[in-house]
């Protein structure tokens, strides 16, 4: 959704949420699985606009954090404006 893709600012937002998890949260695509608590790991996925990601939580207690990360994606990490998507 974000025209700029998954760059450092959104990666930092994801990592900030994931660091509060009880256990690991993973963000992945068809080729790579990244530790969502690591900005560098997230950036290694190369998240261009339109790419589809899968989120995984090792603990059911962390499902609300997955929902928060999904909401951040859906909101374009606060960077999508003027009807852009």
């Amino acid at each position: 959704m974000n025209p700029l893709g998954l760059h450092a600012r959104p990666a930092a937002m994801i990592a900030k949420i994931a660091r509060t998890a009880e256990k690991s949260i993973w963000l992945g695509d068809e080729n790579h699985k990244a530790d969502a608590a690591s900005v560098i790991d997230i950036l290694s996925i190369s998240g261009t606009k339109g790419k589809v990601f899968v989120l995984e939580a090792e603990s059911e207690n962390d499902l609300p954090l997955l929902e928060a990360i999904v909401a951040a994606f859906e909101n374009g990490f606060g960077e999508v404006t003027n009807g852009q998507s």
Side-chain angles (χ1 to χ4, degrees):
M1 294 183 66
N2 188 333
L4 301 173
L6 185 57
H7 57 90
R9 184 176 172 275
M13 292 173 73
I14 293 167
K16 182 177 180 180
I17 295 168
R19 284 187 200 116
T20 66
E22 180 179 291
K23 294 190 177 182
S24 294
I25 293 179
W26 301 95
L27 176 71
D29 64 13
E30 63 277 357
N31 299 312
H32 186 73
K33 187 171 165 179
D35 178 356
S38 167
V39 174
I40 298 298
D41 227 23
I42 293 169
L43 292 174
S44 73
I45 296 176
S46 180
T48 55
K49 181 181 177 185
K51 190 166 202 174
V52 176
F53 292 102
V54 175
L55 282 166
E56 298 176 28
E58 290 183 359
S59 170
E60 286 187 22
N61 293 336
D62 294 326
L63 292 179
L65 298 176
L66 293 187
E67 292 170 5
I69 293 170
V70 168
F73 270 100
E74 290 173 343
N75 293 321
F77 297 96
E79 296 177 341
V80 177
T81 59
N82 300 325
Q84 294 177 340
S85 60

